[in-house]
Amino acid sequence: MKEKGLILIFTGNGKGKTTAALGMTMRAAGHGMRTCFIQFIKGSWKYGEMEAMARFHKEIDFHVTGRGFTWKSDDLEKDKAAARKAWEKAKKVIQSGEYHTVVLDEFTYLLRYDIIDKEDVLEVLRGKPADLHICITGREALGELIELADLVTEMKPIKHPYQKGVKAQKGIEF
Ligand code: ATP
Ligand code: MG
């Protein structure tokens, strides 16, 4: 058995993808290992996780990027430009050698909606530092991404309280 830096993907329509990435981040932080957590959709940051991560400021750097480029967009071109800029930043972070883990949260959408170049992403992932772990979250991960990854978990929704009209609650959703 050996050790290697992994590419991990948490995808699917069920709840728990970002939570799983946060859990890994906390686990690494407990060992004093550093994580850079990059959130690709503005507005998806939740107060609870931001406050918790801020308490681990030595171990965790986090960045909110993008403009929330989907659904409610008023200017799609600006959103795409912001997402591309965020990816350029992520590349530098990946190559920096400063982190044990880099999390690209809600990243799958950039590929799914052709906002950034797929080949570029695959090349960067293939050429990542050998011991770096990269964790990607988001629904509808592309087949090529899944193929490249070492670990893929699909969150499958069975029940969600939303379906019964229960609203988002503190400590569970934010
Ligand atoms: P979390 O951040 O709670 O781990 P996630 O990252 O798996 O969730 P996203 O696709 O990023 O899920 O969506 C975030 C929000 O959408 C969360 O508030 C989550 O509860 C909600 N959500 C996720 N899956 C479902 C579902 N199947 N039905 C209704 N709401 C959902
Ligand atoms: Mg999420």
Side-chain angles (χ1 to χ4, degrees), residues 13-19 46 106 109 139 157 160 162 173:
N13 293 333
K15 173 176 161 60
K17 301 175 287 294
T18 297
T19 313
K46 303 294 167 12
E106 319 297 349
Y109 305 101
R139 296 174 190 211
H160 194 292
Y162 184 74
E173 303 282 1

Side-chain angles (χ1 to χ4, degrees), residues 5-7 93-95 99-102 128-134:
L6 302 172
I7 296 173
V93 166
I94 287 168
Q95 277 142 15
Y99 299 99
H100 169 266
T101 300
V102 174
K128 75 170 183 58
D131 53 357
L132 176 72
H133 304 287
I134 298 182

Side-chain angles (χ1 to χ4, degrees), residues 1-18:
M1 300 295 268
K2 58 183 180 180
E3 288 198 345
K4 68 172 277 215
L6 302 172
I7 296 173
L8 310 98
I9 300 179
F10 301 131
T11 191
N13 293 333
K15 173 176 161 60
K17 301 175 287 294
T18 297

Side-chain angles (χ1 to χ4, degrees), residues 8-128:
L8 310 98
I9 300 179
F10 301 131
T11 191
N13 293 333
K15 173 176 161 60
K17 301 175 287 294
T18 297
T19 313
L22 286 165
M24 262 184 54
T25 301
M26 286 299 152
R27 204 172 255 173
H31 292 286
M33 293 160 159
R34 301 190 67 229
T35 294
C36 186
F37 199 110
I38 304 174
Q39 170 61 256
F40 278 86
I41 298 185
K42 190 182 152 199
S44 43
W45 273 119
K46 303 294 167 12
Y47 182 79
E49 61 218 44
M50 283 186 84
E51 281 297 304
M53 284 204 270
R55 294 185 198 180
F56 290 84
H57 55 89
K58 279 207 302 264
E59 294 86 0
I60 306 171
D61 289 333
F62 56 92
H63 302 280
V64 188
T65 63
R67 295 174 76 241
F69 62 86
T70 46
W71 312 279
K72 291 174 273 187
S73 179
D74 48 357
D75 188 339
L76 201 59
E77 284 314 308
K78 263 193 193 162
D79 295 350
K80 287 183 177 178
R84 289 188 192 113
K85 202 171 146 205
W87 168 236
E88 291 307 313
K89 183 184 179 58
K91 281 197 239 182
K92 289 194 185 114
V93 166
I94 287 168
Q95 277 142 15
S96 72
E98 282 183 45
Y99 299 99
H100 169 266
T101 300
V102 174
V103 178
L104 310 177
D105 189 42
E106 319 297 349
F107 182 70
T108 54
Y109 305 101
L110 273 61
L111 292 172
R112 180 54 72 182
Y113 296 105
D114 273 325
I115 291 165
I116 53 175
D117 180 44
K118 183 173 70 184
E119 290 310 320
D120 182 33
V121 171
L122 295 174
E123 199 181 305
V124 168
L125 293 178
R126 280 191 210 105
K128 75 170 183 58

Side-chain angles (χ1 to χ4, degrees), residues 142-161:
L142 291 189
E144 289 98 322
L145 208 55
I146 288 174
E147 206 168 300
L148 183 65
D150 300 286
L151 183 155
V152 182
T153 296
E154 182 176 6
M155 306 296 176
K156 180 182 166 193
I158 307 280
K159 282 183 172 183
H160 194 292

